[in-house]
Amino acid sequence: METQVNISGRSLVVPCVQDIVKENPTTVLKRYVRNDQEPPVITDACSGLPQVPVINLGRLVSEDLAKPVLEKLRHACKEWGFFQLINHDVSPKLIEKVKKGTEELFNIDGKSDGFGQAFVLSEDQKLDWADIFYMMTLPASIRKPHLFPKLPLPFRDNLDTYSKEMQTLAIKLLYLMAKALGMQVKDLEGMFEGGLQGMRMNYYPPCPQPELVIGLNSLRC
């Protein structure tokens, strides 16, 4: 396990999970075992359990179809706090290019700044069974000069385009959320136009005991 990486000076350096997997372990290291986790629940549309709201942006911006979708968005924001967005006009080809570039990025030898795990504050802290790559992407002026410009091409250009597409989509979505929640749109003006954007890319290596680990720790607000 030679590769030990870190995404932030505030986080302790930890081994790369990809390197652990290269040793072909038959069991999971104790630090990755999560005994406090509830077993996963696999659901589908016929399970009877609540389904994550799906918001059709194409209908949301249509004058004839917007009203019921706007109500669905309001419910998702108030009762769920998240939703799946479809028909968002971000090119599927661009998304696939970014996915492919991300996969290739994690296969690069000699990983350094940007790779690792976030918020590791103690030596006995439980770790996620995942490697991540994180960096600030917008505004371009805050990109690390030793990181973003050195990303391999064409991934660098695709990621630059993708980050701008996400910024445009995020601003559009925020205004629609404000409308759905009955907020004054002017309350949002200027709040996010010059905001910061960061991107986190997750890689989940194969695990010999997947039922004992988690790939992404739950958010605790």
Side-chain angles (χ1 to χ4, degrees):
M1 292 178 288
E2 296 180 354
T3 305
Q4 293 191 332
V5 289
N6 183 8
I7 70 163
S8 168
R10 297 183 296 275
S11 184
L12 297 179
V13 176
V14 297
C16 177
V17 180
Q18 284 177 284
D19 287 344
I20 296 175
V21 172
K22 288 178 182 178
E23 298 185 356
N24 297 316
T26 57
T27 59
V28 174
L29 297 176
K30 183 178 179 180
R31 196 172 182 187
Y32 294 89
V33 175
R34 302 296 187 103
N35 294 318
D36 58 337
Q37 295 296 313
E38 296 181 1
V41 177
I42 301 176
T43 67
D44 55 39
C46 301
S47 65
L49 295 175
Q51 301 295 305
V52 173
V54 177
I55 304 299
N56 188 325
L57 185 60
R59 293 187 176 185
L60 193 57
V61 297
S62 169
E63 293 185 6
D64 297 332
L65 304 173
K67 188 173 181 179
V69 185
L70 202 63
E71 173 56 29
K72 190 175 183 179
L73 177 61
R74 184 198 68 80
H75 176 79
C77 291
K78 295 190 68 173
E79 304 299 330
W80 283 79
F82 57 88
F83 50 85
Q84 178 186 358
L85 188 69
I86 62 173
N87 292 336
H88 43 60
D89 289 336
V90 179
S91 168
K93 289 185 178 180
L94 175 61
I95 295 174
E96 287 305 314
K97 288 178 181 178
V98 172
K99 286 182 178 179
K100 184 176 185 294
T102 300
E103 184 177 351
E104 293 173 348
L105 188 69
F106 279 100
N107 289 327
I108 294 176
D109 293 329
K111 299 178 181 63
S112 57
D113 194 17
F115 291 91
Q117 291 203 22
F119 309 115
V120 181
L121 305 178
S122 68
E123 295 293 344
D124 58 353
Q125 180 178 329
K126 292 292 186 179
L127 300 176
D128 296 344
W129 189 265
D131 293 327
I132 73 172
F133 179 75
Y134 178 85
M135 65 178 173
M136 299 301 296
T137 48
L138 289 177
S141 59
I142 67 170
R143 294 173 180 172
K144 292 183 177 180
H146 63 283
L147 186 57
F148 194 96
K150 294 184 178 181
L151 291 175
L153 292 172
F155 179 58
R156 185 201 315 157
D157 291 340
N158 291 332
L159 191 63
D160 181 57
T161 302
Y162 180 74
S163 67
K164 293 172 182 176
E165 291 278 342
M166 288 295 101
Q167 182 187 46
T168 300
L169 177 60
I171 293 173
K172 178 188 294 185
L173 200 54
L174 282 168
Y175 278 91
L176 290 169
M177 290 166 63
K179 183 178 180 180
L181 294 169
M183 298 173 58
Q184 293 293 324
V185 173
K186 65 180 182 181
D187 293 340
L188 292 176
E189 291 179 354
M191 291 180 63
F192 298 99
E193 299 289 346
L196 303 180
Q197 181 197 78
M199 287 195 180
R200 168 174 170 162
M201 305 164 198
N202 300 336
Y203 178 79
Y204 306 104
C207 179
Q209 296 175 293
E211 72 280 2
L212 299 181
V213 304
I214 59 173
L216 181 61
N217 198 15
S218 59
L219 296 175
R220 302 187 184 278
C221 299

